[in-house]
Each structure stands twice: as structure tokens, then as C-alpha cells.
Amino acid sequence: MRAEQGSRHSHRIHHNTMSPIDLISRPYTFAIADGRSIHGVLIAIDDQANLLVTNAAETTPDGTHTRQLGLISLRRDTIKSVCVSQADHSALFPRVI
């Protein structure tokens, strides 16, 4: 019984503990509920999970127009999804076996 348990544990993936500060200063693309997308660098997260994004650029749902917005606040309930580059994803979520 112990040998089985030991072999099962040796194949587990260990996850590092992450805090919100680990997400700061990285570029993200945010899909907004109304179809627009916002690309910018996350600089703050408040206690309600609203986001403060700098160097923000807004793209229309059809992708034909982009405008620079600068510093913006994104309300949590308007964010449909969040995308990060593969390189930043690997840095945020390294696989440790």
C-alpha cells in the first residue's frame, strides 16, 4: 500500500502559490461584454477585482478601428475574458514536476 501511495505522489505536479501582485505589470488583452477588446498593461487590482490598466488601446468588435485610451479602469462585471501571451503565461504558471 505504501509503495503505491509513494509512486502516486511522485507524479504530482506542484503548483507555486500566486498572489495578485504576480499579475501586475504584464500586458493583457481583455474581452469586454459589449464585444470590444482592450489591450494594455495591468497596474492595479482593487478589493472588488476591478482592474486599472495603463497604455490601453480599444479595438472595435469587428477589429477595424483601434484608439488609444491611456489609463482606464475596467469594472469586473464587464470583463468577459482575459488573454495573456504564451511567454507571460509560462512565467506566471511554470510547470514543476
Side-chain angles (χ1 to χ4, degrees):
M1 186 74 161
R2 285 185 175 214
E4 290 176 13
Q5 191 174 21
S7 65
R8 187 173 59 223
H9 288 291
S10 66
H11 292 86
R12 283 188 179 171
I13 296 174
H14 300 282
H15 296 282
N16 295 335
T17 303
M18 181 185 292
S19 70
I21 194 71
D22 297 323
L23 304 173
I24 303 297
S25 297
R26 296 186 186 274
Y28 296 93
T29 299
F30 305 92
I32 306 302
D34 65 5
R36 294 175 295 156
S37 63
I38 305 289
H39 181 77
V41 177
L42 180 65
I43 60 171
I45 305 168
D46 72 10
D47 60 346
Q48 300 297 312
N50 299 307
L51 309 179
L52 192 60
V53 178
T54 191
N55 299 328
E58 171 191 64
T59 303
T60 56
D62 60 7
T64 59
H65 295 89
T66 299
R67 67 179 177 149
Q68 296 299 315
L69 301 175
L71 180 64
I72 63 167
S73 176
L74 290 175
R75 285 185 24 208
R76 176 186 66 181
D77 61 349
T78 64
I79 301 169
K80 199 169 149 183
S81 67
V82 179
C83 296
V84 64
S85 72
Q86 183 63 44
D88 280 323
H89 184 275
S90 295
L92 288 168
F93 305 105
R95 287 186 56 119
V96 179
I97 298 179

Coordinates of all heavy atoms in Angstrom, one line a residue:
M1 N 0.8 -1.2 0.0 CA 0.0 0.0 0.0 C 0.9 1.3 0.0 O 0.6 2.2 -0.7 CB -0.9 0.0 1.2 CG -1.9 1.1 1.2 SD -3.2 0.8 0.0 CE -4.4 1.9 0.5
R2 N 1.9 1.3 0.8 CA 2.8 2.5 0.8 C 3.5 2.7 -0.5 O 3.7 3.8 -0.9 CB 3.8 2.4 2.0 CG 3.1 2.6 3.3 CD 4.2 2.6 4.4 NE 3.5 3.0 5.6 CZ 4.1 3.7 6.5 NH1 5.3 4.1 6.4 NH2 3.5 4.0 7.6
A3 N 3.9 1.6 -1.1 CA 4.6 1.8 -2.4 C 3.7 2.4 -3.4 O 4.2 3.3 -4.2 CB 5.1 0.4 -2.9
E4 N 2.5 2.0 -3.5 CA 1.5 2.6 -4.4 C 1.3 4.1 -4.1 O 1.3 4.9 -5.0 CB 0.2 1.9 -4.4 CG 0.2 0.5 -4.9 CD -1.1 -0.2 -4.7 OE1 -2.1 0.5 -4.4 OE2 -1.2 -1.4 -4.9
Q5 N 1.2 4.4 -2.9 CA 1.0 5.8 -2.5 C 2.2 6.6 -2.8 O 2.1 7.7 -3.3 CB 0.7 5.8 -1.0 CG 0.2 7.2 -0.5 CD -0.2 7.1 0.9 OE1 0.2 6.3 1.7 NE2 -1.1 8.1 1.3
G6 N 3.4 6.1 -2.6 CA 4.6 6.8 -2.9 C 4.7 7.1 -4.4 O 5.1 8.1 -4.8
S7 N 4.4 6.1 -5.2 CA 4.6 6.3 -6.7 C 3.5 7.3 -7.2 O 3.8 8.0 -8.1 CB 4.5 4.9 -7.4 OG 3.2 4.4 -7.2
R8 N 2.4 7.3 -6.6 CA 1.3 8.2 -7.0 C 1.8 9.6 -6.7 O 1.6 10.5 -7.5 CB 0.0 7.9 -6.3 CG -1.2 8.7 -6.8 CD -2.5 8.3 -6.2 NE -2.5 8.3 -4.8 CZ -3.0 7.4 -4.0 NH1 -3.5 6.3 -4.5 NH2 -3.0 7.5 -2.7
H9 N 2.4 9.9 -5.5 CA 2.8 11.2 -5.2 C 4.0 11.7 -6.0 O 4.1 12.8 -6.2 CB 3.2 11.2 -3.7 CG 2.1 11.2 -2.8 ND1 1.1 12.2 -2.7 CD2 1.7 10.2 -1.9 CE1 0.2 11.8 -1.8 NE2 0.5 10.6 -1.3
S10 N 4.8 10.8 -6.5 CA 6.0 11.2 -7.3 C 5.6 11.8 -8.6 O 6.4 12.4 -9.3 CB 6.9 10.0 -7.5 OG 6.3 9.0 -8.3
H11 N 4.4 11.6 -9.1 CA 3.9 12.1 -10.4 C 3.0 13.3 -10.3 O 2.5 13.8 -11.3 CB 3.1 11.0 -11.1 CG 4.0 9.8 -11.5 ND1 4.3 8.8 -10.7 CD2 4.6 9.6 -12.7 CE1 5.1 7.9 -11.3 NE2 5.3 8.4 -12.5
R12 N 2.9 13.8 -9.1 CA 2.1 15.0 -8.9 C 2.8 16.3 -9.5 O 4.0 16.4 -9.4 CB 1.8 15.3 -7.4 CG 0.8 14.4 -6.9 CD 0.4 14.9 -5.5 NE -0.6 14.0 -5.0 CZ -1.0 14.0 -3.7 NH1 -0.5 14.8 -2.9 NH2 -2.0 13.2 -3.3
I13 N 2.0 17.2 -10.0 CA 2.6 18.5 -10.4 C 2.4 19.4 -9.2 O 1.3 19.6 -8.6 CB 1.8 19.0 -11.6 CG1 2.0 18.1 -12.8 CG2 2.2 20.5 -11.9 CD1 1.2 18.5 -14.0
H14 N 3.5 20.1 -8.8 CA 3.5 21.0 -7.7 C 3.2 22.4 -8.2 O 3.9 22.9 -9.1 CB 4.8 21.0 -6.9 CG 5.1 19.6 -6.4 ND1 4.5 19.1 -5.2 CD2 5.9 18.6 -6.8 CE1 4.9 17.9 -5.0 NE2 5.7 17.5 -6.0
H15 N 2.3 23.1 -7.6 CA 1.9 24.5 -8.0 C 2.5 25.5 -7.0 O 2.4 25.3 -5.8 CB 0.4 24.6 -8.1 CG -0.2 23.7 -9.2 ND1 -0.1 24.0 -10.5 CD2 -0.8 22.6 -9.1 CE1 -0.7 23.1 -11.2 NE2 -1.2 22.2 -10.3
N16 N 3.1 26.5 -7.6 CA 3.5 27.6 -6.7 C 2.3 28.4 -6.3 O 1.4 28.6 -7.0 CB 4.5 28.5 -7.5 CG 5.8 27.8 -7.9 OD1 6.1 26.8 -7.2 ND2 6.4 28.2 -8.9
T17 N 2.4 29.0 -5.1 CA 1.4 29.9 -4.7 C 1.5 31.2 -5.4 O 2.6 31.8 -5.5 CB 1.5 30.1 -3.2 OG1 1.4 28.8 -2.5 CG2 0.4 31.0 -2.6
M18 N 0.4 31.8 -5.9 CA 0.4 33.0 -6.6 C -0.5 34.0 -5.9 O -1.5 33.7 -5.3 CB -0.1 32.8 -8.0 CG -0.1 34.1 -8.8 SD -0.9 33.8 -10.4 CE 0.2 32.8 -11.2
S19 N 0.0 35.3 -5.9 CA -0.8 36.4 -5.3 C -1.1 37.4 -6.4 O -0.5 37.4 -7.5 CB -0.1 37.0 -4.2 OG 1.0 37.8 -4.7
P20 N -2.1 38.2 -6.2 CA -2.5 39.2 -7.3 C -1.3 40.1 -7.7 O -1.2 40.5 -8.9 CB -3.5 40.1 -6.6 CG -4.2 39.2 -5.6 CD -3.0 38.3 -5.1
I21 N -0.3 40.3 -6.8 CA 0.8 41.2 -7.2 C 1.6 40.5 -8.4 O 2.3 41.2 -9.2 CB 1.7 41.5 -6.0 CG1 2.7 42.6 -6.3 CG2 2.5 40.2 -5.5 CD1 2.1 43.9 -6.4
D22 N 1.6 39.2 -8.5 CA 2.3 38.5 -9.5 C 1.7 38.8 -10.9 O 2.3 38.6 -11.9 CB 2.2 37.0 -9.3 CG 2.9 36.6 -8.0 OD1 4.0 37.2 -7.7 OD2 2.4 35.6 -7.3
L23 N 0.4 39.3 -11.0 CA -0.2 39.6 -12.2 C 0.0 41.0 -12.7 O -0.3 41.3 -13.9 CB -1.7 39.4 -12.1 CG -2.2 38.0 -11.6 CD1 -3.7 38.0 -11.3 CD2 -1.8 36.9 -12.6
I24 N 0.6 41.8 -11.9 CA 0.8 43.2 -12.2 C 2.0 43.4 -13.1 O 2.9 42.6 -13.1 CB 1.1 44.0 -10.9 CG1 -0.1 43.9 -9.9 CG2 1.3 45.5 -11.1 CD1 -1.4 44.4 -10.4
S25 N 1.9 44.5 -13.9 CA 3.0 44.9 -14.9 C 3.2 43.9 -16.1 O 4.2 43.8 -16.6 CB 4.3 45.0 -14.1 OG 4.2 46.0 -13.2
R26 N 2.1 43.3 -16.4 CA 2.1 42.4 -17.6 C 1.1 42.9 -18.6 O 0.0 43.3 -18.2 CB 1.9 41.0 -17.2 CG 3.0 40.4 -16.3 CD 2.7 38.9 -16.1 NE 3.6 38.4 -15.1 CZ 4.9 37.9 -15.4 NH1 5.3 38.0 -16.6 NH2 5.6 37.5 -14.5
P27 N 1.3 42.7 -19.9 CA 0.3 43.1 -20.9 C -0.8 42.0 -21.0 O -0.5 40.8 -20.9 CB 1.1 43.2 -22.2 CG 2.3 42.3 -22.0 CD 2.6 42.3 -20.5
Y28 N -2.0 42.4 -21.1 CA -3.1 41.5 -21.3 C -4.1 42.1 -22.3 O -4.1 43.2 -22.6 CB -3.9 41.4 -20.0 CG -3.2 40.8 -18.8 CD1 -2.5 41.6 -17.9 CD2 -3.2 39.4 -18.6 CE1 -1.8 41.1 -16.8 CE2 -2.5 38.9 -17.5 CZ -1.8 39.7 -16.7 OH -1.1 39.2 -15.6
T29 N -4.9 41.2 -22.9 CA -6.0 41.6 -23.7 C -7.3 41.2 -23.0 O -7.4 40.0 -22.7 CB -5.9 40.9 -25.1 OG1 -4.7 41.3 -25.7 CG2 -7.1 41.3 -26.0
F30 N -8.2 42.1 -22.8 CA -9.4 41.9 -22.1 C -10.6 42.0 -23.1 O -10.7 42.9 -23.8 CB -9.6 43.0 -21.1 CG -8.5 43.1 -20.1 CD1 -7.4 44.0 -20.3 CD2 -8.4 42.3 -19.0 CE1 -6.4 44.1 -19.4 CE2 -7.4 42.4 -18.1 CZ -6.4 43.3 -18.3
A31 N -11.3 40.9 -23.2 CA -12.6 40.9 -24.0 C -13.7 41.5 -23.1 O -13.9 41.0 -22.0 CB -12.9 39.5 -24.5
I32 N -14.4 42.5 -23.6 CA -15.4 43.2 -22.9 C -16.8 42.7 -23.3 O -17.0 42.3 -24.5 CB -15.3 44.7 -23.1 CG1 -13.9 45.2 -22.8 CG2 -16.3 45.5 -22.3 CD1 -13.4 45.0 -21.4
A33 N -17.7 42.7 -22.4 CA -19.0 42.1 -22.7 C -19.7 42.7 -23.9 O -20.5 42.0 -24.6 CB -19.9 42.3 -21.4
D34 N -19.4 44.0 -24.3 CA -20.1 44.5 -25.4 C -19.4 44.2 -26.8 O -19.8 44.7 -27.8 CB -20.3 46.1 -25.3 CG -18.9 46.8 -25.2 OD1 -17.9 46.2 -25.4 OD2 -18.9 48.0 -25.0
G35 N -18.4 43.4 -26.7 CA -17.7 43.0 -27.9 C -16.4 43.7 -28.2 O -15.6 43.2 -29.0
R36 N -16.1 44.8 -27.5 CA -14.8 45.4 -27.7 C -13.7 44.6 -27.0 O -14.0 43.8 -26.2 CB -14.8 46.9 -27.1 CG -15.8 47.8 -27.8 CD -15.8 49.1 -27.0 NE -16.4 48.9 -25.7 CZ -16.2 49.7 -24.7 NH1 -15.4 50.7 -24.7 NH2 -16.8 49.4 -23.5
S37 N -12.5 44.9 -27.4 CA -11.3 44.4 -26.7 C -10.4 45.5 -26.3 O -10.3 46.5 -27.0 CB -10.6 43.3 -27.5 OG -10.0 43.9 -28.7
I38 N -9.8 45.3 -25.2 CA -8.9 46.3 -24.6 C -7.5 45.6 -24.4 O -7.4 44.5 -23.8 CB -9.3 46.8 -23.2 CG1 -10.8 47.4 -23.3 CG2 -8.3 47.8 -22.6 CD1 -10.9 48.7 -24.0
H39 N -6.5 46.2 -24.9 CA -5.1 45.7 -24.7 C -4.3 46.7 -23.9 O -4.4 47.9 -24.2 CB -4.4 45.4 -26.1 CG -3.0 44.9 -25.9 ND1 -2.8 43.6 -25.6 CD2 -1.8 45.5 -26.0 CE1 -1.5 43.4 -25.5 NE2 -0.9 44.5 -25.7
G40 N -3.7 46.3 -22.9 CA -2.9 47.2 -22.0 C -2.2 46.5 -20.9 O -2.3 45.2 -20.8
V41 N -1.5 47.2 -20.1 CA -0.7 46.7 -19.0 C -1.5 46.9 -17.7 O -1.8 48.0 -17.3 CB 0.7 47.4 -18.9 CG1 1.5 46.9 -17.8 CG2 1.4 47.2 -20.3
L42 N -1.7 45.8 -17.0 CA -2.3 45.8 -15.7 C -1.4 46.4 -14.7 O -0.3 46.0 -14.5 CB -2.7 44.4 -15.3 CG -3.4 44.2 -14.0 CD1 -4.8 44.9 -14.0 CD2 -3.6 42.7 -13.6
I43 N -2.0 47.4 -14.0 CA -1.1 48.1 -12.9 C -1.7 48.0 -11.5 O -1.1 48.3 -10.5 CB -0.8 49.5 -13.3 CG1 -2.0 50.4 -13.5 CG2 0.1 49.6 -14.5 CD1 -1.7 51.9 -13.6
A44 N -3.0 47.7 -11.4 CA -3.6 47.6 -10.1 C -4.9 46.7 -10.1 O -5.6 46.7 -11.2 CB -4.0 49.0 -9.5
I45 N -5.2 46.1 -9.0 CA -6.4 45.4 -8.8 C -7.0 45.8 -7.5 O -6.3 45.8 -6.5 CB -6.2 43.8 -8.8 CG1 -5.4 43.4 -10.0 CG2 -7.5 43.1 -8.6 CD1 -4.9 41.9 -9.9
D46 N -8.3 46.3 -7.5 CA -8.8 46.7 -6.2 C -9.5 45.6 -5.5 O -9.5 44.4 -5.9 CB -9.8 47.9 -6.4 CG -11.1 47.6 -7.0 OD1 -11.4 46.4 -7.2 OD2 -11.8 48.5 -7.4
D47 N -10.0 45.9 -4.3 CA -10.6 44.8 -3.4 C -11.9 44.2 -4.0 O -12.4 43.2 -3.5 CB -10.8 45.3 -2.0 CG -11.8 46.5 -1.9 OD1 -12.0 47.1 -3.0 OD2 -12.2 46.8 -0.8
Q48 N -12.5 44.9 -5.1 CA -13.7 44.3 -5.7 C -13.3 43.6 -7.0 O -14.2 43.2 -7.8 CB -14.6 45.5 -6.1 CG -15.1 46.2 -4.8 CD -15.9 45.4 -3.9 OE1 -16.8 44.7 -4.3 NE2 -15.5 45.4 -2.6
A49 N -12.0 43.5 -7.3 CA -11.5 42.8 -8.5 C -11.7 43.7 -9.8 O -11.6 43.1 -10.9 CB -12.0 41.4 -8.7
N50 N -11.8 45.0 -9.6 CA -11.8 45.9 -10.8 C -10.4 46.1 -11.1 O -9.5 46.0 -10.2 CB -12.5 47.2 -10.4 CG -13.9 47.0 -10.0 OD1 -14.7 46.4 -10.8 ND2 -14.3 47.5 -8.9
L51 N -10.1 46.4 -12.4 CA -8.7 46.5 -12.8 C -8.3 47.9 -13.3 O -9.2 48.6 -13.9 CB -8.5 45.5 -14.0 CG -8.9 44.1 -13.8 CD1 -8.7 43.2 -15.0 CD2 -8.2 43.5 -12.6
L52 N -7.1 48.3 -13.1 CA -6.6 49.5 -13.6 C -5.5 49.2 -14.6 O -4.6 48.4 -14.3 CB -6.0 50.4 -12.4 CG -5.6 51.8 -12.8 CD1 -6.8 52.6 -13.2 CD2 -4.9 52.5 -11.6
V53 N -5.7 49.7 -15.8 CA -4.9 49.3 -17.0 C -4.3 50.5 -17.6 O -5.0 51.5 -17.8 CB -5.8 48.5 -18.0 CG1 -4.9 48.1 -19.2 CG2 -6.4 47.3 -17.4
T54 N -3.0 50.5 -17.9 CA -2.4 51.7 -18.5 C -2.0 51.3 -19.9 O -2.0 50.1 -20.3 CB -1.1 52.1 -17.7 OG1 -0.7 53.4 -18.2 CG2 0.0 51.1 -17.8
N55 N -1.7 52.3 -20.7 CA -1.3 52.2 -22.1 C -2.4 51.4 -22.9 O -2.2 50.6 -23.7 CB 0.0 51.5 -22.3 CG 1.1 52.3 -21.7 OD1 1.1 53.5 -21.7 ND2 2.1 51.6 -21.2
A56 N -3.7 51.6 -22.5 CA -4.8 50.9 -23.0 C -5.2 51.3 -24.4 O -5.1 52.5 -24.7 CB -6.0 51.0 -22.1
A57 N -5.5 50.3 -25.2 CA -5.9 50.6 -26.6 C -7.2 49.8 -26.8 O -7.3 48.6 -26.4 CB -4.9 50.2 -27.6
E58 N -8.2 50.4 -27.3 CA -9.5 49.8 -27.5 C -9.7 49.4 -29.0 O -9.4 50.2 -29.9 CB -10.6 50.8 -27.1 CG -12.0 50.3 -27.5 CD -13.0 51.5 -27.3 OE1 -12.9 52.5 -28.0 OE2 -13.9 51.3 -26.4
T59 N -10.2 48.2 -29.2 CA -10.4 47.7 -30.6 C -11.9 47.4 -30.7 O -12.5 46.8 -29.9 CB -9.6 46.5 -31.0 OG1 -8.2 46.8 -30.8 CG2 -9.8 46.1 -32.4
T60 N -12.5 47.9 -31.8 CA -13.9 47.6 -32.1 C -14.2 46.1 -32.3 O -13.3 45.4 -32.6 CB -14.4 48.4 -33.3 OG1 -13.6 48.1 -34.4 CG2 -14.4 49.9 -33.1
P61 N -15.4 45.7 -32.1 CA -15.8 44.3 -32.2 C -15.4 43.7 -33.6 O -15.0 42.5 -33.7 CB -17.3 44.2 -32.0 CG -17.6 45.4 -31.2 CD -16.6 46.5 -31.6
D62 N -15.5 44.5 -34.6 CA -15.1 44.0 -36.0 C -13.6 44.1 -36.3 O -13.1 43.6 -37.3 CB -15.9 44.7 -37.1 CG -15.7 46.2 -37.1 OD1 -14.8 46.7 -36.4 OD2 -16.4 46.8 -37.9
G63 N -12.8 44.7 -35.3 CA -11.4 44.8 -35.5 C -10.9 45.8 -36.5 O -9.7 45.9 -36.7
T64 N -11.8 46.7 -37.0 CA -11.4 47.7 -38.0 C -10.9 49.0 -37.4 O -10.2 49.7 -38.1 CB -12.6 48.0 -38.9 OG1 -13.7 48.5 -38.1 CG2 -13.1 46.8 -39.7
H65 N -11.2 49.3 -36.2 CA -10.8 50.6 -35.6 C -10.1 50.3 -34.2 O -10.7 49.5 -33.4 CB -11.9 51.5 -35.4 CG -12.5 52.0 -36.7 ND1 -13.5 51.3 -37.3 CD2 -12.2 53.0 -37.5 CE1 -13.8 51.9 -38.5 NE2 -13.0 52.9 -38.6
T66 N -9.0 51.0 -34.0 CA -8.4 51.0 -32.7 C -8.1 52.4 -32.2 O -7.8 53.3 -33.1 CB -7.0 50.2 -32.8 OG1 -7.3 48.9 -33.2 CG2 -6.3 50.2 -31.4
R67 N -8.3 52.7 -31.0 CA -8.0 54.0 -30.5 C -7.3 53.9 -29.1 O -7.5 53.0 -28.4 CB -9.2 54.9 -30.3 CG -10.2 54.5 -29.3 CD -11.4 55.4 -29.2 NE -12.3 54.9 -28.2 CZ -13.1 55.7 -27.5 NH1 -13.1 57.0 -27.6 NH2 -14.0 55.2 -26.6
Q68 N -6.4 54.8 -28.9 CA -5.6 54.8 -27.7 C -6.4 55.5 -26.6 O -7.0 56.5 -26.8 CB -4.3 55.6 -27.9 CG -3.3 55.0 -28.9 CD -2.9 53.6 -28.5 OE1 -2.5 53.3 -27.4 NE2 -3.0 52.6 -29.4
L69 N -6.5 54.8 -25.4 CA -7.2 55.3 -24.3 C -6.4 55.8 -23.2 O -6.8 56.6 -22.4 CB -8.2 54.3 -23.8 CG -9.2 53.7 -24.8 CD1 -10.0 52.6 -24.2 CD2 -10.1 54.8 -25.3
G70 N -5.2 55.3 -23.0 CA -4.3 55.7 -21.9 C -4.6 54.9 -20.7 O -4.6 53.7 -20.7
L71 N -4.9 55.6 -19.6 CA -5.1 54.9 -18.3 C -6.6 54.7 -18.1 O -7.4 55.7 -18.2 CB -4.6 55.8 -17.1 CG -4.8 55.3 -15.7 CD1 -4.0 54.0 -15.5 CD2 -4.4 56.3 -14.7
I72 N -7.1 53.5 -17.9 CA -8.5 53.2 -17.7 C -8.8 52.3 -16.6 O -7.9 51.6 -16.1 CB -9.1 52.6 -19.0 CG1 -8.5 51.2 -19.3 CG2 -9.0 53.5 -20.2 CD1 -9.3 50.4 -20.3
S73 N -10.0 52.3 -16.1 CA -10.5 51.3 -15.1 C -11.5 50.4 -15.8 O -12.4 50.8 -16.5 CB -11.1 52.1 -14.0 OG -11.7 51.2 -13.0
L74 N -11.3 49.1 -15.6 CA -12.2 48.1 -16.1 C -13.0 47.5 -14.9 O -12.4 46.9 -14.0 CB -11.5 47.0 -16.8 CG -10.8 47.4 -18.2 CD1 -10.0 46.2 -18.7 CD2 -11.9 47.8 -19.2
R75 N -14.3 47.6 -15.0 CA -15.1 47.0 -13.9 C -15.2 45.5 -14.1 O -15.3 45.0 -15.2 CB -16.6 47.6 -14.0 CG -16.7 49.0 -13.4 CD -18.1 49.5 -13.4 NE -19.1 48.4 -13.3 CZ -20.3 48.6 -13.8 NH1 -20.7 49.7 -14.3 NH2 -21.2 47.6 -13.7
R76 N -15.1 44.8 -13.0 CA -15.0 43.3 -13.1 C -16.2 42.7 -13.8 O -16.0 41.8 -14.6 CB -15.0 42.8 -11.6 CG -15.1 41.3 -11.6 CD -15.2 40.8 -10.2 NE -16.5 41.2 -9.6 CZ -17.0 41.0 -8.4 NH1 -16.2 40.4 -7.6 NH2 -18.2 41.4 -8.1
D77 N -17.4 43.3 -13.7 CA -18.6 42.7 -14.3 C -18.7 42.9 -15.8 O -19.5 42.4 -16.5 CB -19.9 43.1 -13.6 CG -20.1 44.6 -13.6 OD1 -19.1 45.4 -14.0 OD2 -21.2 45.1 -13.3
T78 N -17.8 43.8 -16.4 CA -17.8 44.0 -17.8 C -16.7 43.1 -18.5 O -16.7 43.0 -19.7 CB -17.5 45.4 -18.2 OG1 -16.2 45.8 -17.7 CG2 -18.5 46.4 -17.5
I79 N -15.8 42.4 -17.8 CA -14.8 41.6 -18.4 C -15.3 40.2 -18.7 O -15.7 39.5 -17.8 CB -13.6 41.6 -17.5 CG1 -13.0 43.0 -17.2 CG2 -12.5 40.7 -18.1 CD1 -12.0 43.1 -16.1
K80 N -15.2 39.9 -19.9 CA -15.7 38.6 -20.4 C -14.6 37.5 -20.3 O -14.8 36.4 -19.9 CB -16.2 38.7 -21.8 CG -17.1 37.6 -22.3 CD -17.7 38.0 -23.6 CE -18.0 36.9 -24.5 NZ -18.5 37.2 -25.7
S81 N -13.4 37.9 -20.7 CA -12.2 37.0 -20.7 C -10.9 37.8 -20.7 O -10.9 39.0 -21.0 CB -12.2 36.0 -21.8 OG -12.0 36.7 -23.1
V82 N -9.8 37.2 -20.2 CA -8.5 37.8 -20.2 C -7.5 36.9 -20.9 O -7.5 35.7 -20.6 CB -8.1 38.0 -18.7 CG1 -6.7 38.6 -18.6 CG2 -9.1 38.8 -17.9
C83 N -6.7 37.4 -21.8 CA -5.7 36.7 -22.5 C -4.4 37.2 -22.2 O -4.2 38.4 -22.0 CB -6.0 36.7 -24.0 SG -7.5 36.0 -24.5
V84 N -3.4 36.3 -22.1 CA -2.0 36.7 -21.9 C -1.1 36.0 -22.9 O -1.5 35.0 -23.4 CB -1.6 36.3 -20.4 CG1 -1.6 34.9 -20.2 CG2 -0.3 36.9 -20.1
S85 N 0.0 36.6 -23.2 CA 0.9 35.9 -24.2 C 1.4 34.6 -23.7 O 1.4 34.4 -22.4 CB 2.1 36.9 -24.5 OG 3.0 36.9 -23.4
Q86 N 1.9 33.8 -24.6 CA 2.4 32.5 -24.1 C 3.6 32.6 -23.2 O 3.7 31.9 -22.2 CB 2.8 31.6 -25.4 CG 3.3 30.2 -25.0 CD 2.2 29.4 -24.4 OE1 1.1 29.4 -24.8 NE2 2.6 28.7 -23.3
A87 N 4.5 33.6 -23.5 CA 5.7 33.8 -22.7 C 5.3 34.2 -21.3 O 5.8 33.7 -20.3 CB 6.6 34.8 -23.3
D88 N 4.3 35.1 -21.2 CA 3.9 35.6 -19.8 C 3.1 34.4 -19.1 O 3.3 34.3 -17.9 CB 3.0 36.8 -19.9 CG 3.8 38.1 -20.0 OD1 4.9 38.1 -19.4 OD2 3.4 39.0 -20.8
H89 N 2.4 33.6 -19.9 CA 1.7 32.5 -19.3 C 2.7 31.5 -18.7 O 2.5 31.1 -17.5 CB 0.8 31.8 -20.3 CG 0.0 30.7 -19.7 ND1 0.5 29.4 -19.6 CD2 -1.3 30.7 -19.2 CE1 -0.5 28.7 -19.0 NE2 -1.5 29.4 -18.8
S90 N 3.7 31.2 -19.4 CA 4.8 30.3 -18.9 C 5.5 30.9 -17.7 O 5.8 30.1 -16.7 CB 5.8 30.1 -20.0 OG 5.2 29.4 -21.1
A91 N 5.7 32.2 -17.6 CA 6.3 32.8 -16.5 C 5.4 32.8 -15.3 O 5.8 32.6 -14.1 CB 6.7 34.3 -16.8
L92 N 4.1 33.0 -15.5 CA 3.1 33.0 -14.4 C 2.8 31.6 -13.9 O 2.6 31.4 -12.7 CB 1.8 33.6 -14.9 CG 1.8 35.2 -15.1 CD1 0.6 35.6 -15.8 CD2 1.9 35.9 -13.7
F93 N 2.7 30.6 -14.8 CA 2.3 29.3 -14.4 C 3.4 28.2 -14.8 O 3.1 27.4 -15.7 CB 1.0 28.9 -15.1 CG -0.1 29.9 -14.7 CD1 -0.5 30.9 -15.7 CD2 -0.7 30.0 -13.5 CE1 -1.5 31.8 -15.4 CE2 -1.7 30.9 -13.2 CZ -2.1 31.8 -14.2
P94 N 4.6 28.3 -14.2 CA 5.6 27.3 -14.6 C 5.2 25.9 -14.2 O 4.6 25.7 -13.1 CB 6.8 27.8 -13.9 CG 6.3 28.5 -12.7 CD 5.0 29.2 -13.2
R95 N 5.5 25.0 -15.0 CA 5.2 23.6 -14.7 C 6.4 23.0 -13.9 O 7.5 23.0 -14.4 CB 5.0 22.7 -15.9 CG 3.7 23.0 -16.5 CD 3.4 22.1 -17.7 NE 3.5 20.7 -17.2 CZ 2.5 19.8 -17.2 NH1 1.4 20.2 -17.8 NH2 2.7 18.6 -16.8
V96 N 6.2 22.6 -12.7 CA 7.2 22.0 -11.9 C 6.8 20.6 -11.6 O 5.7 20.4 -11.0 CB 7.4 22.8 -10.6 CG1 8.5 22.1 -9.7 CG2 7.8 24.2 -10.9
I97 N 7.6 19.6 -12.1 CA 7.2 18.2 -11.9 C 8.1 17.5 -10.9 O 9.3 17.8 -10.8 CB 7.2 17.5 -13.2 CG1 6.2 18.1 -14.2 CG2 6.9 16.0 -13.0 CD1 6.1 17.5 -15.5

